Amino acid sequence: MLGRLFVDHPRSLGMSWFGHAVGAVKIGGEMLAAGVACMVHAIVPGLFTQTAGRTVERLHQHMVQRRAGAANPESWPDYEI
C-alpha cells in the first residue's frame, strides 16, 4: 500500500520520490501563479494578457520533452505530475 502511494508512480517515470516531489512542486507553483494571473486578468484585462497561455505552453513542452527522453516513451502516461 505505501509503495503504491509513494514510490510506484515516481519509479514508473524513472524518478525518485524526492525528485518527483521537487518537480511536482515546481509545476504546481507555476500553475498557481498562472491561475492568480488569470484572476487578476479577469479584473484588469490589460494585465497578464499572455501569462497563462505561455505557462501552459511551456509546461506542455516540458512534459513532451520528458516523455520523448524516457527510457520507454510508450509506457509514459498522457500526463505527468
Side-chain angles (χ1 to χ4, degrees), residues 1-11 16-17 20-21 81:
M1 173 76 156
L2 289 178
R4 184 178 66 79
L5 290 174
F6 291 98
V7 295
D8 288 356
H9 172 65
R11 210 176 270 157
S16 67
W17 176 89
H20 179 271
I81 294 182

Side-chain angles (χ1 to χ4, degrees), residues 42-78:
I43 297 166
V44 185
L47 295 177
F48 305 113
T49 59
Q50 298 179 17
T51 303
R54 285 183 179 165
T55 300
V56 169
E57 288 174 352
R58 186 176 58 255
L59 291 174
H60 179 260
Q61 186 60 32
H62 168 75
M63 290 183 226
V64 167
Q65 288 173 343
R66 285 202 27 89
R67 181 179 188 162
N72 190 1
E74 295 80 33
S75 68
W76 198 267
D78 290 337

